[in-house]
Amino acid sequence: MIDSDASVQAPARLASLRETGLLDSPCEPSFDRLTRLVSRCLNVPVALISLVDERRQYFKSCVGLPEPWASARETPLSHSFCRHVVASCEPLVIADARLHPLVQDNPAIAALGVIAYLGVPLTTADGYVLGAICAIDSKPREWTEDELATLNDLACSVMTEITLRRDVAGRRRAERLLDRYRLLSEHARDIVLFVRADGRIVEANDAAVAAYGYDRDTLLRMSILELRDLDTVPLIPGQMAQADVQGVTFETVHRRKDGSTFPVEVSSRGAEIAGERLLLSILRDISERRKAEEELRQSRERLSETLAQLEALVAGAPFALALLDSDLRFVRLNEAMARINGEPTSAHLGRSYGEIRSASAAIDESALREVIETGVPRLGVYHEGEMPGLPGYVGRWLSNWYPVRAADGRVLGVGIMTAEITEQMRAEEALRYSERRYRTLIDGVLQLMWVNDPDGRTTFFNRRWREYSGYDPALLTGDSWINVIHAEDLVRLRQVRGASIQSGEPYECEYRLRNRDGEFRWHIARVVPMKDREGTVENWFGVATDIHDLKRAQEELRAARDAAEAGTRARDQFLAVLSHELRTPLTPVLVSVTAMLEDPETPELVRPALEVTKRNIALEARLIDDLLDITRITQGKLNLGREVVNAHELIRRAVEICRDEVGSAGIALTMHLVAIAHHVDGDPARLQQIFWNLIKNAVKFTGKGGMIVINSYDEDGPAGPRLVVEVRDTGVGIALEALPKIFNAFEQGDKEVTRQFGGLGLGLAISRNLTEAHGGTLTASSGGRGQGATFVLRLPVTAAPVLYATAPAPRIESARSPASLHILLVEDNPDTLRVMSRLLRRRGYQVTSAPCFSLALEAVEREDSFNLVVSDIGLPDGSGLELMRRIRAQRDVKGIAVSGYGMEDDVRKSRDAGFSLHLTKPVDFPALEQAIQQVARLEAEEPVEP
């Protein structure tokens, strides 16, 4: 039931009560001490601090209250004596509730045993009664003035505690508000300053620290006057006053720590923040905008100059130019056009084409209007005869008519460009005549040359042809050439030659020709047609060049290339075998080290040595991978699995991988990843390899107490927008003479660096090749030894992927527990087999082990509960690939291949044999377990056949 008393239900009182945050709050010692004090001082069994809201009384603290009320810590208002204290705002003194008219019907008399009651209001400073502190006796009692006074004093103590809570809550709200302002400002790209009325700066974001060059502590001790250019300081008081009243936006000049200035646009407004009147000012650096405005002004000046130059160029052009409007009236023309038309320039303006060119106007005007209507130019319009301005002179002219368009595409008129081609055409005719007459007179060349008629019959051989063949000139006509062609080449030559004669296109062919001594020598023949103006073949001209010695050299070169390729294949096989032989012994060592690290009985003194062993095994595996990567790169076999990736996320992952090494080296590493466009179309694993190599390189060459800084920013270049990533260190640096070769394989700058730091010098070579494969660049710079080094990576960026809301995918249960997985482990190394089996069983897996191909098959035939096979590829009596094929032929079992061979072809063969995953040795146990769980999940996700 809701109490109808207006004082209890007053919204302002209820709001004040809720502001305390005490309703439904847990017990607190400070309040419990006061209720216990009431019980002891007044010698009562029950003492309460009661807060009364619109439907109940809540006990912030209670002593002696019977169950269930003590656990519930509240009663409905129907059971409340304290509500009467709230309603009256006065103390309530009741000697015997059963006889008191105000409460004699209250169910608390029977339910809680309330007989005698003494309650004092809990009143806030602004007059709101939140509840009461009360003493309750289970028998009639006459309360004394001292007892009432004592309870009043304790009520004051309760209100002091409540007031303290409200003040603390208020401060926390103010701090949260200020934190929100700080959070917003810290993520803003613009400068954000919080300024007091006296100009003192009380808060500044990171953008302000970067812009002014002061550290944050210094900036917060400064006044806004110290950041303004001296010439603008007198304007500050008026601007601040206007900002506080109504807000203001203006442009001014600010000064950096180094004394340089930069223009800013300021937007400032007064605000009440955490109880203090502040100016919130947002400043934007408008240097680029000012620069753009200046460039626009200069561009307009250049445009004006260009237009003036064009006017001069048109006026002095050797060909005729004119511009007609949509009604074919002359708008502009040059002197050359005026001379052709026989009228001064001024006489053309405003007059139509027909008025000026009366002789050809009818034909030309129709074609000109078609250009305007269709927007399609007419090129190569030919005129021959007399022109109005040149009577008696018969010439030839060529014109282009093109539409002149407005910015919106509308055709405004037509432009005419006319050039006289009289002399040019005469020269061309003379040239064509000369070519037809004299191109056959080529006896002086060393090549064999001939002329065929349009049907391919030979009409002429040059002198070199006759000398080579030894034939009588009278016999070298028609098809006599057939007699000197090698029989094996004749059919192919006839096919190529016949097709060319049919199509009228040139042809080229290699064949052997017999010389006068009977020796056949290789020649390459090129035969081209000579055509008339209509495109009809008039003659065929052929040239044959002796390439016999070249052919022989090509054969020798091919043999040398085959030998080189065989050597390359042998090298690849050697590297693969070397990789296998280097990796395989590492696996038992790595597994044994892992087992000892996981064994709680391993002494602590031994563990650091085991960690060192494990790290060096990983390092050797990395070196082997680098050798194989270099091989792939030199052969052009580096494959990239491209996708759109977040480069910042890859950098963070690479840093996280190196975090322990950076910490143990005593190096400070910071990142400033501020690039807006940071998505790249590339292979995420290879990109992370680049970042990892660069960070590892910086860690390796930076001593204790050094620094590594990783920056990213945007860059626009001729090839488009780029993401730039800098890795800067304070390490040993790079000698200037070593910089040009720092990215060469097996280079580390100089021998001293190699002796001091070790390594193969492959990381940077691989990183640059991977970068170039992604269309980027990787460069290095250094001030010399002891000056640190900076590596700059530039990559083309792409748009960030658009994320679409989709329906949630159906939940797939996680992989089965280890106890439900029965693993067949096949490994020919007894140490690896023993330790790996023990580790798997320790994890809860069921394991059957086999040291060879035959015993593995026997295990499969003996048991049918296997649901996962983990097998080495190279077994003493067979192949793990063949083992997997046989097992898969009998049942559907997932498999994980383990091998020292890790080239792409090896992985493909494993997949083809039925293995789900291929792990390259050395295999750490956590990696194996992760692979087992991954394959188990794949099995769980596969649909079940009905």
Side-chain angles (χ1 to χ4, degrees), residues 194-430:
F194 293 84
V195 183
R196 290 199 181 102
D198 62 358
R200 190 63 57 186
I201 299 169
V202 298
E203 190 57 65
N205 67 345
D206 289 344
V209 173
Y212 293 112
Y214 296 100
D215 60 67
R216 187 182 300 278
D217 292 339
T218 303
L219 201 57
L220 298 186
R221 293 195 298 270
M222 298 176 67
S223 167
I224 192 68
L225 281 69
E226 299 175 75
L227 299 180
R228 289 281 288 268
D229 187 58
L230 295 178
D231 294 339
T232 67
V233 169
L235 304 175
I236 294 178
Q239 292 168 342
M240 292 182 66
Q242 185 179 358
D244 189 47
V245 175
Q246 63 185 26
V248 66
T249 299
F250 59 91
E251 293 183 5
T252 187
V253 178
H254 275 222
R255 189 171 63 254
R256 301 184 181 90
K257 180 180 179 180
D258 61 7
S260 62
T261 60
F262 61 100
V264 294
E265 180 184 75
V266 182
S267 178
S268 184
R269 179 174 295 275
E272 196 77 28
I273 301 176
E276 183 178 8
R277 189 69 179 175
L278 298 175
L279 290 181
L280 172 59
S281 299
I282 300 175
L283 301 87
R284 175 165 294 175
D285 188 336
I286 57 174
S287 302
E288 291 300 322
R289 191 177 78 190
R290 292 278 181 88
K291 181 181 177 182
E293 291 171 352
E294 176 61 20
E295 290 176 351
L296 179 60
R297 184 190 64 77
Q298 294 177 3
S299 176
R300 287 172 175 167
E301 290 180 357
R302 289 194 298 270
L303 178 61
S304 178
E305 293 174 359
T306 301
L307 290 175
Q309 293 168 356
L310 285 174
E311 287 287 345
L313 185 63
V314 169
F319 43 81
L321 297 171
L323 178 62
L324 311 181
D325 63 15
S326 58
D327 294 324
L328 300 184
R329 292 189 298 267
F330 281 92
V331 176
R332 303 190 75 169
L333 72 158
N334 65 353
E335 287 295 332
M337 181 64 76
R339 284 196 301 272
I340 291 175
N341 294 336
E343 297 276 357
T345 303
S346 58
H348 284 73
L349 302 180
R351 295 174 64 188
S352 70
Y353 184 86
E355 293 179 68
I356 300 296
R357 290 278 192 93
S358 56
S360 60
I363 298 174
D364 289 352
E365 281 189 329
S366 174
L368 289 168
R369 291 191 186 281
E370 184 180 344
V371 172
I372 295 174
E373 292 169 359
T374 64
V376 178
R378 289 279 302 275
L379 305 178
V381 180
Y382 181 74
H383 293 86
E384 183 175 347
E386 292 187 11
M387 284 295 176
L390 303 170
Y393 174 75
V394 177
R396 300 169 182 177
W397 287 268
L398 203 61
S399 296
N400 289 335
W401 299 340
Y402 51 91
V404 178
R405 299 181 183 274
D408 58 3
R410 291 179 296 109
V411 178
L412 303 177
V414 60
I416 300 175
M417 183 174 67
T418 300
E420 184 176 0
I421 58 171
T422 306
E423 293 302 322
Q424 179 183 345
M425 290 191 68
R426 288 174 182 168
E428 288 178 353
E429 289 173 356

Side-chain angles (χ1 to χ4, degrees), residues 809-832:
R811 185 174 180 272
I812 298 174
E813 294 298 325
S814 61
R816 292 174 296 184
S817 66
S820 67
L821 287 174
H822 190 174
I823 300 172
L824 173 60
L825 179 63
V826 186
E827 169 61 55
D828 62 336
N829 186 292
D831 296 328
T832 303

Side-chain angles (χ1 to χ4, degrees), residues 624-642:
I624 295 170
D625 290 339
D626 285 348
L627 282 170
L628 294 180
D629 278 346
I630 282 292
T631 301
R632 294 184 184 100
I633 289 168
T634 55
Q635 295 177 355
K637 294 181 179 180
L638 186 65
N639 297 319
L640 299 179
R642 290 184 176 270

Side-chain angles (χ1 to χ4, degrees), residues 434-647:
S434 176
E435 287 176 349
R436 285 195 301 270
R437 181 175 180 181
Y438 297 109
R439 281 186 64 185
T440 56
L441 305 179
I442 48 178
D443 279 346
V445 297
L446 295 176
Q447 283 80 11
L448 313 181
M449 305 186 72
W450 65 95
V451 178
N452 293 340
D453 65 17
D455 297 325
R457 290 185 295 271
T458 304
T459 60
F460 170 81
F461 287 101
N462 72 341
R463 182 175 59 191
R464 176 60 183 157
W465 219 109
R466 297 191 297 271
E467 291 172 351
Y468 178 86
S469 64
Y471 273 78
D472 187 309
L475 301 177
L476 289 174
T477 56
D479 294 331
S480 58
W481 55 271
I482 294 175
N483 298 323
V484 296
I485 304 296
H486 196 290
E488 295 177 359
D489 303 330
L490 186 57
V491 174
R492 174 170 49 85
L493 174 60
R494 278 178 164 169
Q495 290 174 346
V496 173
R497 186 172 179 272
S500 182
I501 291 174
Q502 291 294 321
S503 65
E505 297 297 323
Y507 71 90
E508 188 174 287
C509 189
E510 294 183 6
Y511 48 79
R512 286 162 286 184
L513 288 174
R514 187 179 63 238
N515 62 18
R516 65 190 309 143
D517 299 325
E519 176 191 3
F520 283 96
R521 294 183 64 84
W522 280 101
H523 286 71
I524 181 169
R526 171 75 175 170
V527 181
V528 297
M530 186 184 79
K531 300 180 180 180
D532 59 18
R533 294 181 61 178
E534 286 73 33
T536 303
V537 175
E538 295 180 332
N539 285 290
W540 295 90
F541 289 87
V543 179
T545 303
D546 190 321
I547 59 170
H548 194 79
D549 295 336
L550 177 62
K551 277 277 190 179
R552 182 178 298 168
Q554 286 176 339
E555 288 297 328
E556 294 173 354
L557 180 62
R558 186 178 299 109
R561 184 173 62 248
D562 291 343
E565 290 175 353
T568 300
R569 288 192 295 272
R571 182 195 62 189
D572 292 349
Q573 181 62 27
F574 169 74
L575 285 175
V577 173
L578 177 63
S579 169
H580 176 271
E581 294 304 316
L582 290 174
R583 291 177 190 272
T584 298
L586 296 178
T587 298
V589 179
L590 184 58
V591 172
S592 299
V593 168
T594 302
M596 294 178 70
L597 286 172
E598 291 190 356
D599 189 343
E601 296 182 1
T602 299
E604 289 300 324
L605 292 175
V606 178
R607 290 182 179 276
L610 293 175
E611 293 289 354
V612 170
T613 302
K614 188 173 181 180
R615 282 197 302 272
N616 280 278
I617 291 171
L619 176 60
E620 183 170 346
R622 179 71 261 170
L623 292 175
I624 295 170
D625 290 339
D626 285 348
L627 282 170
L628 294 180
D629 278 346
I630 282 292
T631 301
R632 294 184 184 100
I633 289 168
T634 55
Q635 295 177 355
K637 294 181 179 180
L638 186 65
N639 297 319
L640 299 179
R642 290 184 176 270
E643 59 183 85
V644 178
V645 294
N646 184 335

Side-chain angles (χ1 to χ4, degrees), residues 615-616 618-620 622-623 626 651 653-662 664-665 667 669 688-703 708 710 727-729 748 757-758 763-764 767 791:
R615 282 197 302 272
N616 280 278
L619 176 60
E620 183 170 346
R622 179 71 261 170
L623 292 175
D626 285 348
I651 294 171
R653 290 181 192 169
V655 169
E656 195 57 37
I657 294 171
C658 301
R659 183 72 66 186
D660 290 343
E661 189 172 351
V662 171
S664 62
I667 299 171
L669 187 149
Q688 184 167 322
Q689 182 180 356
I690 297 171
F691 297 137
W692 182 85
N693 275 341
L694 295 180
I695 296 169
K696 288 280 288 184
N697 188 73
V699 172
K700 179 177 180 180
F701 295 107
T702 302
I708 298 174
I710 303 173
V727 179
R728 191 187 307 269
D729 65 63
Q748 287 190 324
F757 295 98
L764 292 179
S767 296
F791 289 86

